[in-house]
Amino acid sequence: MKNEKINSKILKSNYIPTAEFYSQIIDSLQDYSIFTLDNEFIINSWSSGSTKIFGYETDEIIGQHFDVIFTEEDIQNGIPQSEIQAALKGGRATDNRWHICKDRSGFYAYGLVFPLIGSEGQMLGYVKILRDLTERKKSEDAIKKYVKELEDLNTHKENVLAIVSHDLRSPLSGIIGTAEYLKKNLDRLESSKIKEMLDLLQKTAVDELNMLDNLVEWARIKYASEVFSPTKIVLHDYVEKVFESLHEMASLNAITFHNEIKPDTTVFADGKMLLSVFQNILSNAIKHSLPEGEISVLANIESEMLIIQIKDCGIGMSKDVQETLFTPQMSTLSKARKDNKGAGIGLLLVKGFLERNDGEIWVESEEGKGTSFYFTLPLERPLYKIDSVDKIQFDESV
């Protein structure tokens, strides 16, 4: 028994782990990507965890440059080189960022890189270790998005209440007052005066109904998400539908429409919302166009999004109006209605619909020379977005 203990101690003191032993340990860490680079930043070893995370088999990735796992934006900003320089200066470099897998999907990771020094102090290359934090990142982003939506809903609620209490209540008071006046004085009023007041009542009531319809639609995009149903849409056909519905309105001033979108152009969006977007912007373009003017709808593809332009040759707008166009306060909404422009609540509706469809909107205009509204829509169903937000503070003790 004594001899066995002595032999065991001798074996333990003389045991030197083999390269295969360390390789097995590294390959067992499936949630980590571990690989090495030579002094030219070429990948020369690749763990099974790296294959699981990035999708590259060992024979596919060996010999490729370190840049292959970085996003185009990071490569352009010199991030891979910065990491190496930081590792040489401080002994190691850490960071949290998105990387790109073989299938071009995103992988969010805590990364560690450090120089690989030989037994005689020679520089052999670098070791890169990445830990998968994608699910944690998605959870954090989802929480941030939820908080932002709550803040937006609160702002939206206050805006709706302000519009209801002011922009709807005041005209309704006028309608009631006019009706009461007619009721008390009908017998002694001239027929022409009665007709004038009835025309005013009808116009005001129609305006209020349109305003209420817009408010209901605006609320729908915020509170009734279950009705959101995006599909692939042939854009040319949708534009033609709106042109047809607005033909009578445009013909009053001999305004002509031009649909310059190619017949095979498609977008991924909710059909009802898209119709509302076109109807609002095109009806505003008609109101602000000069007689015998032209309104054109164009589109071009850029970075997997379709940019749609609605262009008129009308009166245009000032820089001050452009800056507040998509964030109108109650006073500007009221002025728009008073001037019979009607752009305020309609453009809020448009902006909300486009954001719901992963799009955005902006305007370019010059007084006296016309206006172009631009908005984007995805060509395909949007994938999970890679965006730069606050970095996750990684707890290395986990």
Side-chain angles (χ1 to χ4, degrees), residues 25 37 41 44 71 108 114 166 196 205 236 260 271 291 295 341 349 357:
I25 292 177
L37 316 171
F41 316 127
N44 57 13
T71 66
Y108 193 80
F114 55 88
H166 188 278
E196 181 183 339
H236 182 276
E260 299 184 26
I295 298 173
K341 294 177 182 177
L349 181 69
N357 285 276

mmCIF file of all heavy atoms in Angstrom, residues 25 37 41 44 71 108 114 166 196 205 236 260 271 291 295 341 349 357:
data_model
loop_
_atom_site.group_PDB
_atom_site.id
_atom_site.type_symbol
_atom_site.label_atom_id
_atom_site.label_comp_id
_atom_site.label_asym_id
_atom_site.label_seq_id
_atom_site.Cartn_x
_atom_site.Cartn_y
_atom_site.Cartn_z
ATOM 1 N N ILE A 25 -10.387 19.609 -24.071
ATOM 2 C CA ILE A 25 -11.000 20.591 -23.173
ATOM 3 C C ILE A 25 -11.581 21.750 -23.979
ATOM 4 O O ILE A 25 -12.728 22.169 -23.787
ATOM 5 C CB ILE A 25 -9.979 21.122 -22.150
ATOM 6 C CG1 ILE A 25 -9.592 20.003 -21.171
ATOM 7 C CG2 ILE A 25 -10.530 22.334 -21.408
ATOM 8 C CD1 ILE A 25 -8.536 20.410 -20.174
ATOM 9 N N LEU A 37 -4.605 32.841 -34.454
ATOM 10 C CA LEU A 37 -4.175 33.528 -35.670
ATOM 11 C C LEU A 37 -2.659 33.510 -35.723
ATOM 12 O O LEU A 37 -1.989 33.489 -34.676
ATOM 13 C CB LEU A 37 -4.629 34.991 -35.652
ATOM 14 C CG LEU A 37 -6.047 35.325 -35.212
ATOM 15 C CD1 LEU A 37 -6.201 36.827 -35.065
ATOM 16 C CD2 LEU A 37 -7.047 34.774 -36.201
ATOM 17 N N PHE A 41 -2.384 37.534 -39.050
ATOM 18 C CA PHE A 41 -3.816 37.552 -38.720
ATOM 19 C C PHE A 41 -4.617 36.559 -39.562
ATOM 20 O O PHE A 41 -5.789 36.778 -39.852
ATOM 21 C CB PHE A 41 -4.414 38.964 -38.852
ATOM 22 C CG PHE A 41 -3.545 40.034 -38.249
ATOM 23 C CD1 PHE A 41 -3.169 41.136 -38.989
ATOM 24 C CD2 PHE A 41 -3.088 39.919 -36.943
ATOM 25 C CE1 PHE A 41 -2.354 42.114 -38.448
ATOM 26 C CE2 PHE A 41 -2.283 40.891 -36.386
ATOM 27 C CZ PHE A 41 -1.905 41.993 -37.132
ATOM 28 N N ASN A 44 -5.412 29.916 -38.023
ATOM 29 C CA ASN A 44 -4.670 28.664 -38.213
ATOM 30 C C ASN A 44 -5.092 27.541 -37.263
ATOM 31 O O ASN A 44 -4.505 26.464 -37.274
ATOM 32 C CB ASN A 44 -3.160 28.905 -38.134
ATOM 33 C CG ASN A 44 -2.739 29.547 -36.825
ATOM 34 O OD1 ASN A 44 -3.513 29.605 -35.873
ATOM 35 N ND2 ASN A 44 -1.509 30.027 -36.780
ATOM 36 N N THR A 71 -18.269 42.518 -39.000
ATOM 37 C CA THR A 71 -19.238 43.184 -39.872
ATOM 38 C C THR A 71 -18.497 44.142 -40.799
ATOM 39 O O THR A 71 -17.385 44.588 -40.505
ATOM 40 C CB THR A 71 -20.265 43.987 -39.056
ATOM 41 O OG1 THR A 71 -19.607 45.072 -38.384
ATOM 42 C CG2 THR A 71 -20.959 43.102 -38.024
ATOM 43 N N TYR A 108 -23.758 37.888 -31.450
ATOM 44 C CA TYR A 108 -23.282 38.892 -30.509
ATOM 45 C C TYR A 108 -22.446 38.206 -29.433
ATOM 46 O O TYR A 108 -22.869 37.204 -28.862
ATOM 47 C CB TYR A 108 -24.454 39.630 -29.861
ATOM 48 C CG TYR A 108 -24.034 40.877 -29.133
ATOM 49 C CD1 TYR A 108 -23.790 42.055 -29.835
ATOM 50 C CD2 TYR A 108 -23.861 40.883 -27.760
ATOM 51 C CE1 TYR A 108 -23.394 43.206 -29.181
ATOM 52 C CE2 TYR A 108 -23.467 42.027 -27.094
ATOM 53 C CZ TYR A 108 -23.232 43.189 -27.805
ATOM 54 O OH TYR A 108 -22.834 44.322 -27.158
ATOM 55 N N PHE A 114 -5.621 37.896 -27.095
ATOM 56 C CA PHE A 114 -4.333 38.162 -26.452
ATOM 57 C C PHE A 114 -3.202 37.526 -27.266
ATOM 58 O O PHE A 114 -3.420 36.558 -28.011
ATOM 59 C CB PHE A 114 -4.306 37.646 -25.006
ATOM 60 C CG PHE A 114 -4.653 36.189 -24.842
ATOM 61 C CD1 PHE A 114 -3.675 35.204 -24.937
ATOM 62 C CD2 PHE A 114 -5.959 35.800 -24.589
ATOM 63 C CE1 PHE A 114 -3.983 33.878 -24.768
ATOM 64 C CE2 PHE A 114 -6.282 34.469 -24.427
ATOM 65 C CZ PHE A 114 -5.286 33.493 -24.512
ATOM 66 N N HIS A 166 -59.331 69.544 -27.824
ATOM 67 C CA HIS A 166 -59.213 70.843 -28.479
ATOM 68 C C HIS A 166 -59.688 70.804 -29.922
ATOM 69 O O HIS A 166 -60.643 71.489 -30.310
ATOM 70 C CB HIS A 166 -57.755 71.312 -28.423
ATOM 71 C CG HIS A 166 -57.564 72.716 -28.904
ATOM 72 N ND1 HIS A 166 -57.468 73.028 -30.231
ATOM 73 C CD2 HIS A 166 -57.463 73.886 -28.225
ATOM 74 C CE1 HIS A 166 -57.310 74.332 -30.361
ATOM 75 N NE2 HIS A 166 -57.296 74.878 -29.160
ATOM 76 N N GLU A 196 -76.350 78.857 -46.595
ATOM 77 C CA GLU A 196 -74.945 79.124 -46.277
ATOM 78 C C GLU A 196 -74.550 78.470 -44.959
ATOM 79 O O GLU A 196 -73.483 77.851 -44.849
ATOM 80 C CB GLU A 196 -74.728 80.634 -46.208
ATOM 81 C CG GLU A 196 -73.288 81.036 -45.898
ATOM 82 C CD GLU A 196 -73.124 82.536 -45.755
ATOM 83 O OE1 GLU A 196 -73.986 83.290 -46.265
ATOM 84 O OE2 GLU A 196 -72.123 82.947 -45.123
ATOM 85 N N ALA A 205 -68.868 69.213 -40.182
ATOM 86 C CA ALA A 205 -69.138 67.851 -39.726
ATOM 87 C C ALA A 205 -68.287 66.835 -40.484
ATOM 88 O O ALA A 205 -67.761 65.876 -39.893
ATOM 89 C CB ALA A 205 -70.623 67.534 -39.906
ATOM 90 N N HIS A 236 -46.742 48.829 -57.666
ATOM 91 C CA HIS A 236 -47.326 49.547 -58.805
ATOM 92 C C HIS A 236 -48.851 49.504 -58.754
ATOM 93 O O HIS A 236 -49.529 50.515 -58.976
ATOM 94 C CB HIS A 236 -46.819 48.931 -60.113
ATOM 95 C CG HIS A 236 -47.303 49.618 -61.345
ATOM 96 N ND1 HIS A 236 -48.538 49.333 -61.913
ATOM 97 C CD2 HIS A 236 -46.752 50.583 -62.128
ATOM 98 C CE1 HIS A 236 -48.716 50.078 -62.978
ATOM 99 N NE2 HIS A 236 -47.646 50.845 -63.139
ATOM 100 N N GLU A 260 -44.362 55.930 -61.907
ATOM 101 C CA GLU A 260 -43.092 55.535 -62.529
ATOM 102 C C GLU A 260 -42.446 54.338 -61.842
ATOM 103 O O GLU A 260 -41.247 54.091 -61.986
ATOM 104 C CB GLU A 260 -42.144 56.734 -62.552
ATOM 105 C CG GLU A 260 -42.702 57.912 -63.359
ATOM 106 C CD GLU A 260 -41.731 59.075 -63.458
ATOM 107 O OE1 GLU A 260 -40.513 58.835 -63.364
ATOM 108 O OE2 GLU A 260 -42.201 60.220 -63.603
ATOM 109 N N GLY A 271 -50.987 45.912 -46.142
ATOM 110 C CA GLY A 271 -51.665 46.525 -47.280
ATOM 111 C C GLY A 271 -52.527 47.720 -46.914
ATOM 112 O O GLY A 271 -52.482 48.765 -47.573
ATOM 113 N N PRO A 291 -52.560 74.651 -60.195
ATOM 114 C CA PRO A 291 -53.398 74.133 -61.281
ATOM 115 C C PRO A 291 -52.550 73.608 -62.437
ATOM 116 O O PRO A 291 -51.507 74.179 -62.769
ATOM 117 C CB PRO A 291 -54.211 75.368 -61.698
ATOM 118 C CG PRO A 291 -54.277 76.210 -60.455
ATOM 119 C CD PRO A 291 -52.946 76.017 -59.782
ATOM 120 N N ILE A 295 -47.915 65.227 -60.362
ATOM 121 C CA ILE A 295 -47.471 64.504 -59.174
ATOM 122 C C ILE A 295 -46.943 63.149 -59.625
ATOM 123 O O ILE A 295 -47.647 62.405 -60.327
ATOM 124 C CB ILE A 295 -48.616 64.318 -58.160
ATOM 125 C CG1 ILE A 295 -49.123 65.675 -57.663
ATOM 126 C CG2 ILE A 295 -48.145 63.470 -56.978
ATOM 127 C CD1 ILE A 295 -50.354 65.586 -56.784
ATOM 128 N N LYS A 341 -55.591 72.725 -44.542
ATOM 129 C CA LYS A 341 -54.473 71.958 -45.099
ATOM 130 C C LYS A 341 -54.553 70.496 -44.677
ATOM 131 O O LYS A 341 -54.211 69.615 -45.430
ATOM 132 C CB LYS A 341 -53.142 72.583 -44.663
ATOM 133 C CG LYS A 341 -52.929 73.973 -45.256
ATOM 134 C CD LYS A 341 -51.645 74.578 -44.729
ATOM 135 C CE LYS A 341 -51.447 75.993 -45.275
ATOM 136 N NZ LYS A 341 -50.245 76.631 -44.719
ATOM 137 N N LEU A 349 -50.139 59.976 -38.666
ATOM 138 C CA LEU A 349 -50.632 58.654 -39.024
ATOM 139 C C LEU A 349 -49.664 57.956 -39.968
ATOM 140 O O LEU A 349 -49.301 56.788 -39.779
ATOM 141 C CB LEU A 349 -52.007 58.796 -39.675
ATOM 142 C CG LEU A 349 -52.723 57.524 -40.101
ATOM 143 C CD1 LEU A 349 -53.153 56.735 -38.881
ATOM 144 C CD2 LEU A 349 -53.932 57.866 -40.954
ATOM 145 N N ASN A 357 -44.053 49.333 -40.049
ATOM 146 C CA ASN A 357 -43.610 48.472 -41.151
ATOM 147 C C ASN A 357 -42.096 48.530 -41.358
ATOM 148 O O ASN A 357 -41.611 48.244 -42.448
ATOM 149 C CB ASN A 357 -44.325 48.873 -42.443
ATOM 150 C CG ASN A 357 -45.768 48.417 -42.482
ATOM 151 O OD1 ASN A 357 -46.064 47.284 -42.844
ATOM 152 N ND2 ASN A 357 -46.698 49.296 -42.101
#
